[in-house]
Amino acid sequence: MFLSDFSIKRPVSMVVIIVMLMCLGLLALKNLRVNQIPDVEQPVIVVSIPYPGASPDTVEREVINRIEKQFLSISGVYQIRATASESNAQIVVIFNFKKNMIEAADEIRNAIGAVRHKLPTEMREPILRHIDPGARPIMQIALSSDTLSHAEISRMAEDVLADRFRGIEGVSIVNVGGSLRRELSILLRAEKLRELNISVTDVTNALRNQNLTAPVGRIRGVLDEQSIRLVGRIESPADFGQVVVKRMGGEVLRLGQIAEISDGFADLSSFSLRNGNPNVSLSITRARDASTVSVANRIRAAVEEVNGTAEKPGTLPTGTKLTITEDGGEDAQDSLNNVIESLVFGALLTVFVVYAFLNSWRSTLITALSLPTSVIAAFIAVWLCGFTLNFMTLLGLSLAIGVLIDDAIVVRENIVRHMQAGKDRLTAASEGTREIGMAVVATTFSIIAVFIPIAFMPGSSGEWFRPFALTVATSVLVSLFISFTLDPMLSAYWGDPPGHHDAPRRGIGRHLQRFNRWFDAQANGYGKVITWALHHRRSMVFIAAVSFIAAIGLQGMLGVPVSCPNPMVAR
């Protein structure tokens, strides 16, 4: 074969090619983003439409029915779900996976704009949200203090810490929960309103008109031009009491005469507790193109810097501390480490099994080199396809570990057989690879034929299994290349010396030789079974048919286990 003959005749060139593949693979591995799950862009857009004061029936009749009909004209829509609730309408639009989400959002806005004149004027502007499974918070941080009040740590979290974490590379959203938000309340006195004949609308109009800052004109000179701006924004809560609500002849009615102004806090929409004490929580979400582990490392470094150490004090007041309560980056790294440990353990077991059967450390090393080269080179395809290093890609490598070394074992075993027949290393490497080449290619491409269709499955399953299938297919292709290049080259120049297989064994080799003799005896017995089966074809067909029918009957007797979604209410 061309590849094996080229590698035998040009060993230096082939070593350079393989080293180049290894370097590119390591470079790709270094640049890969590390996430726990694949980056699957769900083709779902949620449209939330606030309609204050409307009942669910009114929301359905006035908003949902009219917008749903318009959404049906959008191309690529798979399903539409709508929910009407008090003062709000929510429409979930599910698209096909081939649909561009940016174009889909524009088409939804255009569809709403086309029927905007038919919708109620009290309806507020729709809010579009794109559902992203990777947009969940990767880290939860609690801010607590023994010396500051809840209001003070709330202000610190909103104004200082949230902005600090938003400036970290890879951070997309920082949400503050359990904080007290300052709110100015104006409590109107009903008896005063009736006595002075003032409506609530008069009060709101007065606040709107007298609490603003707006441009009112320009002054033009000979050489310059200046803008005139009306500064009417109220600066302090006490100044709200001086707002003029109504003029009655020469008398001026101010807001302080008909209302009580309270500077306090809004009602809590969320509440955070740690060890039974109220605190303020910060949830941090990474950007879509950022690595979970890298962003989590930067956040941890920022938390340590804010808290400070004995040598370098932090920026928080005494008695105040930031505590990481949930670390998604650490969880993702632990999950990946577990898969990597399984990957390494499987590779070591594979090498041990190869040594047990070949009983030659040189042959074992030659075949075992296909494992690291195939795995590392597979990262090139993962990087070029835009995938991340997640549990699906590593699961594909774990599954392919046993397959990656198969080609090398077959090629090496055939080369050894030619050497035992009396041929020299170069001739045995060339002829042995050529003889078994088509069988190895057929085996490899049969595996690829199984996994490639998985990579092109439609829908959500295809998006999740695409990294898995392409990783397996790529690694198997690289192992085929290694078995036709590196294995023949090393067998030709660094194989077992002549007479090695007939030489007496020592140490563990003696025990492995006994095992190989026992296994050869079992193989001879298996050969007798195959011979009997070939001479009794009708009996084999009958046995196969009976086994198949018995399996179907057994399945009918035992049934298929069904998972119950709620065992507490199942009968």
Side-chain angles (χ1 to χ4, degrees):
M1 297 183 67
F2 170 74
L3 285 176
S4 58
D5 293 339
F6 176 80
S7 62
I8 294 172
K9 296 177 181 178
R10 300 286 188 271
V12 177
S13 302
M14 188 51 59
V15 169
V16 170
I17 293 174
I18 294 175
V19 171
M20 182 183 66
L21 282 177
M22 297 284 287
C23 293
L24 290 177
L26 293 174
L27 179 63
L29 178 61
K30 181 181 178 181
N31 293 329
L32 280 176
R33 294 178 288 120
V34 181
N35 294 328
Q36 190 167 9
I37 61 175
D39 283 338
V40 178
E41 186 178 7
Q42 297 287 348
V44 179
I45 293 180
V46 179
V47 183
S48 299
I49 306 174
Y51 188 5
S55 64
D57 293 338
T58 305
V59 170
E60 181 182 6
R61 183 178 62 257
E62 299 292 335
V63 178
I64 291 180
N65 290 341
R66 295 174 180 177
I67 292 181
E68 267 188 332
K69 295 178 182 179
Q70 197 68 20
F71 282 175
L72 294 175
S73 61
I74 299 176
S75 62
V77 174
Y78 173 73
Q79 191 178 35
I80 298 177
R81 303 173 185 171
T83 304
S85 58
E86 187 76 23
S87 303
N88 187 68
Q90 180 173 287
I91 303 176
V92 180
V93 186
I94 305 175
F95 293 89
N96 298 324
F97 268 91
K98 295 181 180 180
K99 184 70 175 181
N100 188 304
M101 287 293 98
I102 298 178
E103 296 178 359
D106 292 338
E107 291 177 2
I108 287 178
R109 292 189 185 94
N110 295 337
I112 296 175
V115 295
R116 188 65 178 88
H117 64 283
K118 299 180 182 179
L119 300 175
T121 56
E122 298 85 0
M123 187 193 83
R124 295 180 182 176
E125 289 301 316
I127 302 172
L128 273 64
R129 293 183 294 110
H130 178 215
I131 294 181
D132 185 1
R136 58 184 180 181
I138 64 170
M139 189 168 290
Q140 299 283 352
I141 303 175
L143 175 64
S144 57
S145 178
D146 299 331
T147 57
L148 302 180
S149 64
H150 195 183
E152 290 173 326
I153 62 174
S154 299
R155 181 66 59 86
M156 181 184 300
E158 292 277 0
D159 299 341
V160 180
L161 296 178
D163 293 338
R164 172 70 178 274
F165 289 121
R166 289 189 185 101
I168 296 177
E169 182 184 358
V171 172
S172 174
I173 301 173
V174 178
N175 292 323
V176 180
S179 62
L180 293 175
R181 299 179 183 272
R182 189 182 181 188
E183 182 179 82
L184 191 69
S185 302
I186 299 177
L187 308 176
L188 298 175
R189 301 188 182 97
E191 66 278 3
K192 286 290 185 179
L193 295 178
R194 288 193 297 268
E195 178 185 347
L196 300 174
N197 194 24
I198 299 175
S199 65
V200 177
T201 304
D202 296 334
V203 177
T204 56
N205 290 336
L207 289 172
R208 184 181 298 111
N209 296 331
Q210 298 179 46
N211 184 27
L212 55 83
T213 298
V216 295
R218 295 179 179 178
I219 298 178
R220 293 183 179 179
V222 180
L223 299 176
D224 59 351
E225 179 179 287
Q226 295 182 351
S227 300
I228 302 175
R229 187 165 55 95
L230 175 63
V231 181
R233 185 70 66 184
I234 298 176
E235 299 294 338
S236 65
D239 294 338
F240 277 89
Q242 304 301 318
V243 172
V244 177
V245 178
K246 192 175 184 180
R247 298 178 185 271
M248 301 177 62
E251 184 180 1
V252 178
L253 297 177
R254 301 185 183 275
L255 184 61
Q257 297 176 252
I258 62 173
E260 180 183 349
I261 301 171
S262 174
D263 184 9
F265 298 97
D267 295 335
L268 286 174
S269 58
S270 61
F271 196 66
S272 176
L273 284 175
R274 177 169 172 78
N275 296 330
N277 299 318
N279 60 11
V280 178
S281 65
L282 294 95
S283 60
I284 303 176
T285 305
R286 68 173 177 87
R288 179 174 178 80
D289 57 347
S291 170
T292 300
V293 176
S294 301
V295 174
N297 292 336
R298 299 188 192 106
I299 296 173
R300 283 192 224 101
V303 170
E304 293 178 0
E305 183 179 351
V306 170
N307 284 330
T309 58
E311 295 79 11
K312 185 178 180 181
T315 57
L316 294 178
T318 305
T320 306
K321 184 179 180 181
L322 274 176
T323 306
I324 298 176
T325 58
E326 182 179 345
D327 193 342
E330 186 175 349
D331 295 340
Q333 189 64 57
D334 290 342
S335 300
L336 294 177
N337 288 341
N338 291 335
V339 179
I340 292 174
E341 289 176 5
S342 301
L343 184 67
V344 174
F345 186 67
L348 293 178
L349 284 180
T350 303
V351 173
F352 173 76
V353 171
V354 170
Y355 180 71
F357 282 93
L358 296 182
N359 200 6
S360 169
W361 67 269
R362 289 196 183 189
S363 298
T364 302
L365 185 59
I366 291 173
T367 54
L369 284 176
S370 61
L371 285 177
T373 51
S374 302
V375 170
I376 294 176
F379 291 126
I380 301 175
V382 176
W383 180 44
L384 292 178
C385 292
F387 300 142
T388 61
L389 189 63
N390 51 71
F391 79 95
M392 290 300 290
T393 52
L394 292 178
L395 181 64
L397 291 177
S398 300
L399 180 66
I401 278 295
V403 179
L404 296 181
I405 203 170
D406 283 353
D407 296 341
I409 292 174
V410 173
V411 172
R412 176 60 186 167
E413 192 276 334
N414 203 49
I415 293 174
V416 170
R417 186 174 62 85
H418 279 261
M419 292 179 61
Q420 290 176 344
K423 298 179 182 179
D424 60 276
R425 293 178 179 177
L426 294 177
T427 305
S430 178
E431 295 182 358
T433 307
R434 187 183 303 110
E435 182 182 27
I436 204 69
M438 291 305 298
V440 173
V441 171
T443 303
T444 302
F445 277 92
S446 64
I447 297 173
I448 295 174
V450 172
F451 285 97
I452 285 296
I454 297 177
F456 295 97
M457 286 191 306
S460 177
S461 57
E463 296 292 326
W464 277 84
F465 281 95
R466 184 169 293 117
F468 168 79
L470 289 181
T471 302
V472 174
T474 305
S475 59
V476 170
L477 274 177
V478 176
S479 71
L480 177 65
F481 175 78
I482 295 299
S483 64
F484 283 166
T485 54
L486 184 63
D487 287 1
M489 181 193 67
L490 292 178
S491 298
Y493 296 100
W494 195 66
D496 295 323
H500 169 77
H501 299 279
D502 298 327
R505 306 292 180 176
R506 291 178 299 176
I508 190 174
R510 182 183 304 171
H511 299 286
L512 291 178
Q513 192 173 29
R514 294 175 183 174
F515 168 76
N516 288 333
R517 291 172 182 171
W518 173 84
F519 188 82
D520 291 339
Q522 302 303 315
N524 294 332
Y526 176 70
K528 296 178 181 179
V529 174
I530 296 298
T531 303
W532 182 89
L534 292 176
H535 288 85
H536 300 80
R537 299 179 183 179
R538 293 182 180 179
S539 300
M540 291 305 302
V541 172
F542 176 76
I543 293 174
V546 170
S547 301
F548 180 71
I549 295 173
I552 294 178
L554 187 62
Q555 189 271 337
M557 292 174 58
L558 298 178
V560 179
V562 179
S563 60
C564 180
N566 191 352
M568 299 299 294
V569 300
R571 298 294 184 220

